[in-house]
Amino acid sequence: MTDVPRGRRLPRRRTVLTVAALLLIVGAVGLGVYLWRGSSAAPGRAFSLIYPRRDTLIATVNATGQLEPAQVASLSFAAAGRVEAVLARVGETVARGAPLARLDTRDLDLRVAQAQAALAQAQASYDRVAAGSTPAEVAAAEAQVQQAGGQLRQAQGSVTSADLQAAEAQLAQAEAQLARLESGPQTSDLQTAEAQLAQAQANLLTQRNQLSAAKTTAQLQVDQSTSSLTQAQARYAAALQNWQYVQETGNDPITPRVPDSANPGKTKPNRLGEAQRQQYYTTFVQAEAALRGAEGAVQQALVAAENARQAEVSSIQAVEQQVAIAQAGLDKLRAGAEADQLAAARAQLASARANLNKLRGEQRGGALQAAQAGVDQAQANLERLRSGPQPSDLAVARAQVQSAEATLGLARLALEQATLTAPFAGVVAQVNLQAGETPSPTKAPVVLADLSSYHVDVTVDEIDVSRLAAGQPVTLTLDALPGLALPGLVETISPLASPTTAVTSYQVRVTTTAQDSRLRSGMSANADIVVARRPGVLVAPRRAVRNDRGRLVADLPKDPSICLLPVERRPATVELEQREVTTGLSNEQLIEITAGLDEQTCVYVEGIDARLNILFGPPPGLRGRN
């Protein structure tokens, strides 16, 4: 600790000693004091005689650092480009927001115009959706409902209740006729009938295989078209997601970020050009068309599969009827006239049963269901058109407008960022670019410094840092400007120890708002931090108090009158006595006396020091008594 600088700075230095060395030094000093104090006199020694006085005692902590501006900013463009104009010069004072440099903005102007056109298109689409359906669209939907209703009535009227009753009566009559009949044949006729029966059975087997294969093929086509639909849906979802991402961010959805050449080790958004955006939009439109085609293919495959199944049923029934006829003919030949009647009855029964099954079968039910589904679909479409715009359609159109607005905002932001502006008022420290060139990726295009105030970051060891607090006054002196003292304050004290020093220490920031045209960044600065100030206390030179075997004592002449003699008349030998004192605050030069001495007490101090004789001369009441 030192007192406040009075014309010059007294540096503070701490020496670290080992325990053994310290013991040796203390022992030697103690032995010397003992031998010297063996006599009550101080023969032939140079000394000064002083009186304690009332003064302000100031304790400081000293540290060093470098003078730095309030803030320094290395300014760069947000995107690469060719420099169109350099608007600032080194040393120029600029206000906050002042333009410093500008890139070529022709392509950015075009992007803003494109974004404005896209926004207008999206707004028009939203207005069209919000307006609802036109009268022509409603009339077309009503016509579709009428057409579907006619198809349903046609399907319902193809089989009447009278047809069913007649088929049931034919079946009952055939069953009754078969119950009364039985049949015996020529060899050639019998062989022919057996051959016809075998042919009919072979035809039945062939038809079953072929129709089963056709049905299987149709089902496979359904599976394949369903798989294609699934793939088309996946591609459409991916294309839609990519297009929405492009509209929302303007970045490439496949590679959203790329390495940033201006900031090694970092990345930046991968912005898309207009051609790349159009490619993603085309992919989305193609995926949507492929999805609609895949859905139609599935419907066609389902219809083909249903037709194949119905064909299998009806065709097999017809072939089975031929087998029954052949079997009846064979039976008739084998049984004679009664066998002939029996075969005819069986054939009639089979025909009646097949006819009734056809009228009641799944084919007619499927046709009715399809016709009813067509009516329901047409009616739903009509109701949708009459009910006005759907919330989902409005939400999609509104999202497209918002996306277009965001794209326009990004384009305008990019245009604004093409002009490098000052983030704060300051002085241009560096300009590392020229018109017509591309800014270097390794140098900041413009460096701006705020010289409205300065700060010094100093390092304070753990012993002294506990005495510091924010707001304490500081005096800054500069090695380069010896006659200049800058007032300052402690701004911050780091809560963590500095990792780069050998001893435990902490970084302290001192700020000053003092201005001088000679100040330069990087100048070596000495900081005297005032940690204590006590006005009106009794002080004495620090070396006037010593430690004598654990007691603090001062040496006083036994004859106080010699203190009033001029220095040249003082004796060479002074008889001394000790007086125990109590001390308080101290610095490297002065110490506070709280008890044991007063302003009328003459104190012996080793060494002749003219400055001490002047500063600690006799008080006014004792002067002139020689």
Side-chain angles (χ1 to χ4, degrees):
M1 296 179 292
T2 66
D3 60 350
V4 169
R6 307 184 190 278
R8 66 184 183 92
R9 177 180 177 275
L10 298 179
R12 178 179 182 274
R13 187 183 303 274
R14 177 177 288 106
T15 304
V16 180
L17 302 175
T18 64
V19 175
L22 184 61
L23 292 177
L24 289 175
I25 293 173
V26 172
V29 172
L31 178 60
V33 171
Y34 175 77
L35 293 176
W36 177 62
R37 291 302 175 192
S39 172
S40 61
R45 293 181 179 274
F47 61 90
S48 298
L49 300 174
I50 62 96
Y51 289 86
R53 63 183 176 85
R54 296 282 174 180
D55 203 346
T56 298
L57 185 59
I58 300 174
T60 63
V61 171
N62 312 114
T64 60
Q66 289 184 320
L67 194 68
E68 299 293 343
Q71 57 180 325
V72 177
S74 298
L75 308 179
S76 299
F77 290 103
R82 185 178 62 83
V83 178
E84 183 182 71
V86 179
L87 307 175
R89 300 186 305 275
V90 174
E92 180 181 0
T93 300
V94 297
R96 178 180 179 181
L100 306 177
R102 183 171 61 249
L103 296 177
D104 186 351
T105 61
R106 287 176 293 180
D107 60 333
L108 299 176
D109 292 333
L110 292 175
R111 292 182 185 178
V112 170
Q114 291 173 343
Q116 289 173 338
L119 176 58
Q121 181 179 1
Q123 186 63 50
S125 299
Y126 174 79
D127 295 340
R128 185 170 57 253
V129 173
S133 304
T134 63
E137 292 174 337
V138 174
E142 291 174 345
Q144 291 177 351
V145 171
Q146 293 176 358
Q147 181 180 3
Q151 293 175 349
L152 175 60
R153 289 190 296 271
Q154 183 179 1
Q156 291 172 338
S158 60
V159 178
T160 64
S161 58
D163 294 333
L164 291 175
Q165 292 175 359
E168 291 171 352
Q170 289 175 358
L171 178 60
Q173 182 180 3
E175 289 175 344
Q177 182 69 17
L178 181 61
R180 296 192 305 265
L181 299 175
E182 46 181 81
S183 63
Q186 299 286 332
T187 302
S188 58
D189 295 337
L190 185 58
Q191 291 175 350
T192 300
E194 288 175 347
Q196 291 175 347
L197 177 59
Q199 181 64 40
Q201 292 174 340
N203 289 340
L204 176 61
L205 180 60
T206 299
Q207 286 291 328
R208 281 178 174 169
N209 293 337
Q210 291 177 349
L211 294 172
S212 177
K215 183 177 69 173
T216 302
T217 300
Q219 185 61 43
L220 289 175
Q221 186 63 35
V222 171
D223 296 339
Q224 292 175 357
S225 59
T226 302
S227 177
S228 298
L229 175 60
T230 302
Q231 296 175 3
Q233 289 172 339
R235 288 191 291 269
Y236 172 76
L240 176 60
Q241 182 179 4
N242 288 342
W243 174 238
Q244 290 177 342
Y245 182 86
V246 169
Q247 289 181 307
E248 291 172 358
T249 67
N251 297 336
D252 190 341
I254 305 302
T255 309
R257 301 189 70 83
V258 295
D260 188 356
S261 59
N263 297 289
K266 296 184 178 180
T267 62
K268 64 181 182 179
N270 187 8
R271 306 295 297 177
L272 292 176
E274 187 59 27
Q276 294 172 316
R277 287 173 55 88
Q278 184 62 38
Q279 183 178 0
Y280 276 105
Y281 178 72
T282 301
T283 301
F284 164 67
V285 173
Q286 292 174 348
E288 185 177 22
L291 176 62
R292 300 295 177 256
E295 291 173 345
V298 169
Q299 293 297 327
Q300 292 177 357
L302 290 173
V303 172
E306 179 64 20
N307 291 338
R309 190 179 64 80
Q310 294 297 333
E312 180 185 29
V313 173
S314 60
S315 298
I316 288 178
Q317 289 177 350
V319 177
E320 286 178 343
Q321 188 173 0
Q322 293 176 358
V323 172
I325 292 172
Q327 182 67 51
L330 179 58
D331 294 341
K332 180 179 179 180
L333 293 175
R334 288 175 175 173
E338 291 183 357
D340 184 47
Q341 293 176 359
L342 179 61
R346 288 176 176 171
Q348 186 176 4
L349 175 61
S351 178
R353 183 177 291 114
N355 185 49
L356 181 60
N357 289 338
K358 182 177 181 180
L359 295 178
R360 291 178 172 175
E362 297 179 356
Q363 181 177 2
R364 181 172 180 270
L368 291 173
Q369 291 176 357
Q372 184 63 51
V375 173
D376 295 341
Q377 182 178 1
Q379 187 65 40
N381 184 49
L382 177 59
E383 292 176 357
R384 181 180 63 82
L385 294 177
R386 286 176 173 173
S387 62
Q390 298 297 310
S392 59
D393 296 336
L394 284 174
V396 171
R398 188 181 298 109
Q400 291 175 348
V401 171
Q402 293 172 350
S403 176
E405 290 174 344
T407 301
L408 177 58
L410 290 174
R412 287 174 173 168
L413 177 61
L415 181 60
E416 292 176 3
Q417 292 176 341
T419 299
L420 197 62
T421 59
F424 52 83
V427 177
V428 178
Q430 295 181 21
V431 176
N432 299 315
L433 74 171
Q434 294 181 359
E437 68 179 11
T438 300
S440 171
T442 60
K443 291 183 179 180
V446 178
V447 177
L448 186 66
D450 180 3
L451 304 182
S452 61
S453 64
Y454 292 87
H455 67 264
V456 179
D457 291 331
V458 300
T459 301
V460 179
D461 61 34
E462 60 182 332
I463 296 177
D464 292 331
V465 74
S466 61
R467 307 171 64 192
L468 303 186
Q472 287 176 332
V474 182
T475 299
L476 294 174
T477 56
L478 306 176
D479 294 345
L481 303 172
L484 182 65
L486 304 176
L489 295 173
V490 174
E491 181 181 356
T492 58
I493 303 172
S494 174
L496 302 177
S498 177
T500 58
T501 56
V503 297
T504 302
S505 58
Y506 300 82
Q507 188 178 72
V508 177
R509 171 160 292 188
V510 175
T511 60
T512 177
T513 57
Q515 296 293 317
D516 192 291
S517 60
R518 297 172 294 172
L519 297 179
R520 293 292 183 272
S521 174
M523 285 184 170
S524 298
N526 306 308
D528 293 316
I529 306 172
V530 178
V531 297
R533 178 189 294 267
R534 291 186 183 175
V537 298
L538 189 66
V539 298
R542 185 162 183 165
R543 52 197 175 98
V545 178
R546 59 186 178 84
N547 190 311
D548 182 16
R549 290 169 290 187
R551 298 180 308 128
L552 295 178
V553 298
D555 294 321
L556 279 63
K558 288 185 177 180
D559 182 6
S561 63
I562 64 175
C563 297
L564 302 178
L565 296 175
V567 175
E568 63 273 9
R569 295 176 54 190
R570 290 174 182 173
T573 301
V574 179
E575 295 290 331
L576 302 176
E577 63 180 3
Q578 292 182 352
R579 180 178 296 183
E580 187 171 353
V581 298
T582 303
T583 63
L585 183 67
S586 65
N587 56 33
E588 290 185 352
Q589 296 173 334
L590 303 176
I591 188 168
E592 178 187 2
I593 307 298
T594 60
L597 302 177
D598 57 29
E599 295 173 277
Q600 308 295 322
T601 306
C602 180
V603 181
Y604 174 92
V605 180
E606 284 190 0
I608 297 177
D609 191 333
R611 191 169 66 95
L612 290 182
N613 291 329
I614 295 174
L615 294 176
F616 294 91
L622 296 178
R623 294 173 184 172
R625 296 183 184 180
N626 48 3

